[in-house]
Amino acid sequence: MERRTVLHTHGTRSGKRSNAATIAVVLLSVVLIAVIIVLSPIGTILSDQIGNLSALFGNTGSDPDQKIVSALKNQEATPSVSPSAIPSAPVQNTITVTETPYYILQMGVFTEQAKADSHALQLRTMGAGGLVYPDGSVFRVFAAAYVDEESLQKVQSQVRNDGFEATPYITERNFVHITLKGDESVLNNTMQAINLLSVVPDRLSELSLQLDRDMIDGINLKTELKTLNETIDAALEPFQSINSAAVEPILNILHDYQNHISTFLQEHDTINQTNACDLKLLQLTCITDYIQFFRQE
């Protein structure tokens, strides 16, 4: 039994030595392969990728998700431009503006301005507008204006029955061509400004008629005039950063409208039948400004 034990012990030691030698050979092979890979181009690529992963996830055992978020924040995003954000190329457009006719009650034509001024003052004391309109070598005196011929004819008949000379003065349908260069927004803003050229005199004509017929009181009338000025303000606002010689005559007329209305509001705390002639004068002043726009060369 002792001999068997000795033999068994001896056999176990030989097996252990054999296994140890095999493991050593395997480890040496792995080391050699690793060295070859590291020294090769593939090893360089792997090394870079391992370094990137290490930077991304960290080596301290911190939260990997937090590392990813941090890494993404440090990346510069490539800006994307949507098609709508790309500015469109300027387009040239020609707009034809047609004059709106006004039907004006004319109370005299004079070759001397002093006589025209005197007659206009007399008309104002009677409740008429009494505006002197220089027209070439003569001075026309206007009493009131209307947006349709029928209204003009009715008033003209009444004035003639009272013994006054009255003749119609009807504005012509002239044209103005405006050439614009810009995008669609410039075109739209310009069209809104052009529309106001006739909208303002039309609205003043309506308000003047309402006051004559006691269809509006002084408080509401002043509110309407302030609203009209605010509408002009909104139309002028887009042009503060636009310098266009083509649009400038339009803007000048709108500014004149504003000045006339503002002056009227400052000079009249209350508006009633006693100063209705001043509202007619305001109406006629804006209409003659409108007429002059189409007389510019």
Side-chain angles (χ1 to χ4, degrees):
M1 291 180 62
E2 292 179 357
R3 186 176 297 173
R4 287 179 184 175
T5 300
V6 172
L7 288 175
H8 176 74
T9 302
H10 179 76
T12 300
R13 289 178 179 176
S14 288
K16 289 183 178 181
R17 289 176 183 175
S18 175
N19 290 338
T22 301
I23 292 172
V25 171
V26 171
L27 291 175
L28 181 60
S29 300
V30 170
V31 172
L32 289 175
I33 292 172
V35 171
I36 293 172
I37 291 176
V38 170
L39 296 178
S40 67
I42 295 176
T44 302
I45 295 173
L46 290 175
S47 176
D48 292 339
Q49 295 300 321
I50 292 171
N52 291 337
L53 290 174
S54 176
L56 184 63
F57 290 104
N59 298 320
T60 60
S62 60
D63 186 2
D65 291 338
Q66 184 63 33
K67 290 293 184 177
I68 292 174
V69 171
S70 178
L72 291 176
K73 285 183 178 179
N74 293 328
Q75 298 297 318
E76 293 186 1
T78 302
S80 59
V81 180
S82 62
S84 59
I86 301 175
S88 58
V91 178
Q92 183 166 300
N93 295 279
T94 300
I95 303 173
T96 300
V97 186
T98 305
E99 182 177 7
T100 297
Y102 287 99
Y103 302 87
I104 303 174
L105 183 65
Q106 181 176 265
M107 301 296 290
V109 181
F110 301 86
T111 56
E112 297 179 17
Q113 183 173 358
K115 292 182 178 181
D117 290 340
S118 177
H119 189 56
L121 182 60
Q122 182 184 1
L123 290 174
R124 284 198 288 273
T125 61
M126 299 168 59
L131 176 94
V132 177
Y133 174 59
D135 186 14
S137 60
V138 300
F139 300 90
R140 303 181 184 275
V141 179
F142 295 151
Y146 307 91
V147 296
D148 61 89
E149 191 170 6
E150 183 180 359
S151 297
L152 171 63
Q153 290 174 348
K154 287 181 179 180
V155 177
Q156 182 183 358
S157 297
Q158 293 173 1
V159 170
R160 284 181 174 178
N161 291 336
D162 292 338
F164 293 95
E165 178 187 353
T167 57
Y169 180 86
I170 303 174
T171 60
E172 302 174 359
R173 284 185 176 274
N174 292 315
F175 301 90
V176 172
H177 301 289
I178 300 174
T179 301
L180 296 175
K181 188 174 183 181
D183 56 19
E184 186 177 355
S185 64
V186 174
L187 179 63
N188 292 337
N189 291 333
T190 303
M191 290 303 301
Q192 291 180 13
I194 290 173
N195 290 336
L196 277 181
L197 290 180
S198 60
V199 167
V200 172
D202 284 355
R203 185 59 180 147
L204 290 174
S205 299
E206 293 172 0
L207 293 174
S208 179
L209 186 61
Q210 289 177 7
L211 184 62
D212 281 344
R213 296 177 178 178
D214 288 325
M215 297 172 61
I216 189 171
D217 59 28
I219 296 176
N220 287 325
L221 179 56
K222 293 187 75 170
T223 300
E224 291 288 342
L225 293 176
K226 290 177 181 178
T227 301
L228 201 54
N229 255 0
E230 290 171 358
T231 303
I232 299 173
D233 262 332
L236 290 173
E237 196 276 333
F239 295 97
Q240 292 181 0
S241 58
I242 299 175
N243 185 14
S244 173
V247 182
E248 186 175 357
I250 300 171
L251 306 184
N252 289 340
I253 297 296
L254 294 182
H255 280 299
D256 288 342
Y257 287 170
Q258 274 194 317
N259 292 334
H260 299 325
I261 295 172
S262 297
T263 300
F264 179 86
L265 290 172
Q266 291 171 2
E267 293 178 350
H268 296 83
D269 293 331
T270 59
I271 305 172
N272 48 44
Q273 290 293 336
T274 60
N275 52 24
C277 60
D278 293 333
L279 183 60
K280 291 185 179 70
L281 180 60
L282 171 63
Q283 169 208 11
L284 287 168
T285 301
C286 290
I287 287 177
T288 52
D289 283 346
Y290 178 77
I291 294 172
Q292 284 301 114
F293 172 76
F294 289 92
R295 305 298 185 272
Q296 299 179 61
E297 297 182 356

